[in-house]
Amino acid sequence: MRAAVFMRTARGALSILMDGYKFIRHRQSSGKTRWFCGTHQSKGCRAVVYTTLDNVVVKVLNEHNHRRTNTSYQ
């Protein structure tokens, strides 16, 4: 499984950085959380990550329709 870095956005929301792509939490149900690619709204990217409620990555559909984001994290 790929390494995922969990971090907070400027507004305090939890996000994931994985392979140079940013994922934003979409919904939580039945013991799993679904995370959409950060460009889902603007570019229609269908990439998604599923985690357990304690943030363990269990499934990755990492097919993006755009290049990686140029995001730097300290």
Side-chain angles (χ1 to χ4, degrees):
M1 197 60 56
R2 295 169 182 89
V5 177
F6 290 82
M7 51 195 24
R8 297 272 173 197
T9 65
R11 293 185 176 187
L14 195 59
S15 65
I16 298 174
L17 181 65
M18 181 183 293
D19 294 337
Y21 294 101
K22 183 177 173 184
F23 293 85
I24 307 298
R25 184 167 41 200
H26 176 241
R27 69 174 169 223
Q28 209 170 302
S29 64
S30 65
K32 288 188 282 188
T33 303
R34 181 179 177 159
W35 305 76
F36 276 154
C37 177
T39 65
H40 175 75
Q41 296 278 338
S42 63
K43 296 183 180 180
C45 185
R46 308 283 292 177
V48 67
V49 173
Y50 291 90
T51 64
T52 62
L53 296 180
D54 56 348
N55 294 335
V56 176
V57 175
V58 293
K59 185 175 182 180
V60 179
L61 302 173
N62 207 16
E63 292 186 27
H64 297 265
N65 64 356
H66 58 93
R67 296 176 192 235
R68 290 183 168 95
T69 56
N70 292 326
T71 308
S72 63
Y73 295 94
Q74 283 88 21

